[in-house]
Amino acid sequence: MWDPGKYLAFADHRSRPFHELVARVGATSPRRVVDLGCGPGNLTLALAERWPSAVVEAVDSSPEMVAAARERGVDARVADVAAWEPAEDVDVVVTNAVLQWVPGHEDLLRAWVRRLPSGAWLAVQVPGNFSGPSHALVRELVDESWPALAGLVRSSPVLDPVGYAEVLSEAAVDAWETTYVQRLEGEDAVLEWISGTALRPIRAALDDASWEEFRARLAPRLRAAYPRRADGTTWFPFRRVFAVARVP
């Protein structure tokens, strides 16, 4: 279960890659713009503001996220991103921090490029920090004490920029990566960050007592990897991978 409130706790940090991704999309007057994995809808509204004449389609697999998006006035619906197919008038597709949850999404991207109309834009952003301590320490703890959950913490669910450039090579593609050095505030800030995203499947699989034990054992490891500064903030390097393709 997704928690929109937990996810939005770091809304400013989470939104920056989205805006930098969409800035590379050159569409001027698209007919339909699709936000695949719209989350709580706060960023979908930015798409509607940029392209006010377009029909904006919003999809997410989480009923909680869709409910939060609808509260913001977004016409969102519950659906599986892996089952989505573009309509004939789709000129822009944005999938921001979603495809890391979809095994085999490379085949999806190839299929979308082939089905989208000529001139359409496809914009993709995924987190690329799965080798970082924030994820490696989770896998370590799972291997030690919760081996039944090992399938929930994959080590490399995304490609690097060259990989996405190759996947999208039938289109004109721009691929790159950025590492943001984020200043997080609060106690156990990195734990709180990943609790809203990477740890969500683990939270769903554990009862309340086991979840609290998991957090209690993970917290000191993360504190050692990401020490809190004298002013109470924590530096958190976060790599992101981007690709924007225009269909020929």
Side-chain angles (χ1 to χ4, degrees):
M1 179 182 295
W2 279 96
D3 181 345
K6 176 70 75 174
Y7 185 84
L8 288 170
F10 298 96
D12 290 344
H13 293 301
R14 297 194 197 282
S15 65
R16 182 177 173 187
F18 170 89
H19 292 296
E20 295 184 5
L21 173 71
V22 174
R24 301 281 187 105
V25 176
T28 54
S29 54
R31 295 165 294 174
R32 180 179 296 270
V33 175
V34 183
D35 188 358
L36 291 178
C38 65
N42 55 312
L43 298 176
T44 311
L45 295 175
L47 299 177
E49 290 173 4
R50 176 169 174 184
W51 294 295
S53 63
V55 174
V56 176
E57 179 181 342
V59 171
D60 201 283
S61 62
S62 164
E64 295 80 15
M65 287 295 197
V66 166
R70 287 175 176 167
E71 288 179 2
R72 285 183 166 81
V74 175
D75 185 16
R77 62 186 175 90
V78 178
D80 183 355
V81 168
W84 177 84
E85 295 185 1
E88 293 181 356
D89 63 346
V90 172
D91 292 323
V92 175
V93 178
V94 177
T95 173
N96 181 65
V98 174
L99 294 181
Q100 72 274 14
W101 299 108
V102 183
H105 63 263
E106 300 90 336
D107 291 335
L108 275 181
L109 292 172
R110 294 187 186 96
W112 292 342
V113 165
R114 291 166 184 162
R115 294 171 186 169
L116 286 165
S118 177
W121 295 79
L122 172 59
V124 178
Q125 185 270 123
V126 290
N129 62 334
F130 294 94
S131 63
S134 58
H135 287 64
L137 291 172
V138 171
R139 293 193 297 270
E140 177 183 278
L141 180 57
V142 166
D143 289 343
E144 288 175 5
S145 302
W146 283 273
L149 304 181
L152 302 180
V153 286
R154 293 181 296 148
S155 60
S156 55
V158 302
L159 304 178
D160 63 12
V162 174
Y164 285 111
E166 181 62 32
V167 166
L168 297 167
S169 60
E170 292 183 22
V173 61
D174 177 16
W176 71 100
E177 66 178 71
T178 299
T179 296
Y180 300 91
V181 180
Q182 301 176 160
R183 189 195 295 263
L184 304 184
E185 298 182 355
E187 189 173 356
D188 289 324
V190 174
L191 176 59
E192 294 304 321
W193 173 284
I194 65 175
S195 291
T197 51
L199 294 184
R200 182 188 63 84
I202 292 176
R203 175 64 187 100
L206 296 177
D207 60 31
D208 291 346
S210 297
W211 169 242
E212 290 306 318
E213 179 186 357
F214 188 93
R215 281 176 54 94
R217 294 180 58 182
L218 179 60
R221 303 183 191 209
L222 291 174
R223 289 187 208 120
Y226 302 96
R228 198 174 184 188
R229 303 172 66 246
D231 66 358
T233 63
T234 302
W235 294 123
F236 182 41
F238 199 122
R239 175 175 175 258
R240 301 276 186 166
V241 179
F242 302 78
V244 173
R246 191 176 190 191
V247 178

